[in-house]
């Protein structure tokens, strides 16, 4: 009986270690892909600085700034959630919910920004800058939505009685969520601030 | 001391918010070329702080730690270089 329990714990630890490694590999690949996106953007920008600068001025940098604060705060709340998860599950759930709400705020803010652009007659094929703007921010947007789905699953697990240890799963999702946050920092820089 | 500060998520958050507001102020008010490079540097530092303070990249295996440091520095330097070459 005892040996079965030990085997179970050992197996769970192995799965957690394997998942952890998988998340770091995934994050690494994603970072490389985004680094290539940034590089291509910068090369294209250097070929048409005037077009890029003119188009950049049409972006709402206030929304970009607000989105940066939102994602930073969401990451912070997620860290607080994970650190309080084992001590006080209720508090962990509260912080997780708050983190998800900030993520949703980012989604709504981004959708609002897209709508404003489409309403102004600006589309993905208008010029190279807008192609990059829509493609890069939409890929990032999909990352945010994916992260929110994963956080929602963790939240669902936390609501059940504390029989299933979800801290390591939550940590894996958090690594991904922080990656989404740090990618936005560079996206905000090259799309909005580099003028 | 440095490590303890970076592991305090509240301090990291305050620092990130403060430097984000600083870079916003530089973007809005400053015309100087140095302001642009300061904004780029701040972004690089922010990414590093998120990686170490929140993501705990320093807890990952050694290969990822080196990769992440190189990624942060590399992307920041490339952005700064392109900016330099364009003007």
């Amino acid at each position: 009986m005892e040996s079965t329990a030990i085997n179970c714990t050992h197996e769970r630890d192995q799965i957690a270690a394997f998942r952890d490694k998988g998340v770091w590999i995934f994050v690494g690949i994603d970072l490389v892909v985004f680094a290539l996106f940034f590089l291509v953007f910068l090369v294209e920008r250097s070929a048409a600085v005037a077009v890029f600068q003119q188009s950049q001025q049409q972006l709402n940098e206030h929304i970009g700034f607000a989105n940066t604060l939102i994602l930073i705060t969401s990451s912070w709340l997620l860290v607080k959630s994970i650190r309080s998860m084992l001590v006080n599950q209720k508090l962990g759930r509260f912080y997780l919910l708050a983190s998800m709400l900030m993520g949703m705020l980012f989604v709504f803010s981004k959708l609002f920004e897209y709508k404003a652009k489409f309403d102004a007659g600006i589309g993905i094929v208008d010029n190279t800058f807008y192609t990059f703007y829509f493609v890069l921010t939409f890929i990032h947007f999909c990352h945010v939505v994916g992260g929110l789905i994963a956080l929602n699953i963790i939240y669902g697990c936390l609501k059940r009685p504390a029989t299933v240890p979800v801290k390591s799963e939550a940590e894996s999702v958090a690594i991904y969520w922080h990656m989404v946050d740090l990618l936005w920092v560079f996206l905000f820089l090259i799309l909005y601030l580099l003028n | 001391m440095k490590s303890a500060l970076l592991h305090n998520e509240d301090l990291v958050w305050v620092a990130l918010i403060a430097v984000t507001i600083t870079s916003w102020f530089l973007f809005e008010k400053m015309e100087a070329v140095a302001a642009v490079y300061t904004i780029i540097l701040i972004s690089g530092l922010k990414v590093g702080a998120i990686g170490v303070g929140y993501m705990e990249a320093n807890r990952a295996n050694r290969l990822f730690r080196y990769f992440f440091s190189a990624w942060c520095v590399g992307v920041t330097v490339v952005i700064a270089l392109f900016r330099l070459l364009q003007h």
Side-chain angles (χ1 to χ4, degrees):
Chain A
M1 183 75 173
E2 200 177 306
S3 98
T4 317
I6 291 168
N7 279 345
C8 250
T9 315
H10 179 66
E11 216 168 87
R12 208 182 295 138
D13 286 349
Q14 274 186 328
I15 292 168
F18 186 70
R19 188 186 46 238
D20 229 30
K21 202 178 265 184
V23 169
W24 288 119
I25 292 170
F26 174 78
V27 166
I29 292 169
D30 230 19
L31 291 179
V32 169
V33 170
F34 266 89
L36 291 173
F37 284 152
F38 297 154
L39 187 65
V40 176
F41 174 87
L42 291 166
V43 170
E44 288 292 330
R45 189 182 192 276
S46 59
V49 179
V51 175
F52 273 61
Q53 282 190 333
Q54 201 181 0
S55 306
Q56 267 177 313
Q57 276 160 12
Q58 290 174 301
L59 292 184
N60 190 336
E61 63 269 17
H62 294 98
I63 295 183
F65 174 63
N67 281 342
T68 309
L69 297 181
I70 287 168
L71 278 188
I72 287 171
T73 306
S74 177
S75 272
W76 168 60
L77 289 166
L78 188 55
V79 174
K80 288 192 86 65
S81 165
I82 287 167
R83 294 202 175 152
S84 53
M85 217 169 252
L86 287 182
V87 190
N88 185 342
Q89 195 156 328
K90 211 172 171 182
L91 190 64
R93 259 196 345 246
F94 169 76
Y95 280 130
L96 182 59
L97 186 65
S99 174
M100 284 161 60
L101 285 174
M102 295 306 277
M104 279 188 250
L105 196 61
F106 178 90
V107 167
F108 287 125
S109 148
K110 207 73 217 140
L111 288 175
F112 172 78
E113 204 181 352
Y114 285 149
K115 190 182 175 299
K117 287 283 156 290
F118 291 135
D119 287 349
I122 296 167
I124 190 166
V125 289
D126 273 14
N127 63 36
T128 323
F129 173 80
Y130 278 114
T131 307
F132 274 108
Y133 167 77
F134 282 109
V135 170
L136 290 179
T137 56
F138 187 71
I139 292 171
H140 182 265
F141 179 85
C142 293
H143 277 69
V144 174
V145 173
L148 279 173
I149 293 168
L151 287 176
N152 193 41
I153 293 168
I154 297 293
Y155 185 76
C157 292
L158 274 180
K159 272 172 85 175
R160 283 186 230 129
T163 46
V164 187
V166 291
K167 192 172 178 276
S168 71
E169 282 89 339
E171 277 174 342
S172 298
V173 175
I175 290 168
Y176 170 81
W177 191 250
H178 300 318
M179 178 203 69
V180 170
D181 183 11
L182 65 84
L183 285 176
W184 176 257
V185 171
F186 275 140
L187 278 177
F188 177 55
L189 171 69
I190 63 167
L191 292 173
Y192 295 81
L193 300 181
L194 206 67
N195 211 332
Chain B
M1 178 68 180
K2 186 182 155 196
S3 158
L5 279 178
L6 280 175
H7 281 95
N8 188 324
E9 67 271 13
D10 300 331
L11 276 178
V12 173
W13 179 73
V14 169
L16 284 170
I17 296 290
V19 292
T20 304
I21 292 168
T22 306
S23 59
W24 180 252
F25 175 79
L26 289 170
F27 173 74
E28 288 275 284
K29 307 281 178 203
M30 301 287 184
E31 295 285 324
V33 178
V36 180
Y37 293 104
T38 311
I39 291 170
I40 294 171
L41 181 67
I42 285 175
S43 298
L45 291 174
K46 268 162 68 178
V47 167
I50 292 168
V52 177
Y54 287 170
M55 198 192 243
E56 296 185 333
N58 51 337
R59 271 182 46 202
N61 64 42
R62 197 189 298 176
L63 189 66
F64 186 85
R65 288 203 303 269
Y66 289 147
F67 163 77
F68 183 73
S69 305
W71 188 86
C72 288
V73 175
V75 173
T76 310
V77 168
V78 166
I79 293 172
L81 278 177
F82 269 89
R83 169 73 199 182
L84 189 71
L85 291 172
Q86 282 162 22
H87 296 271

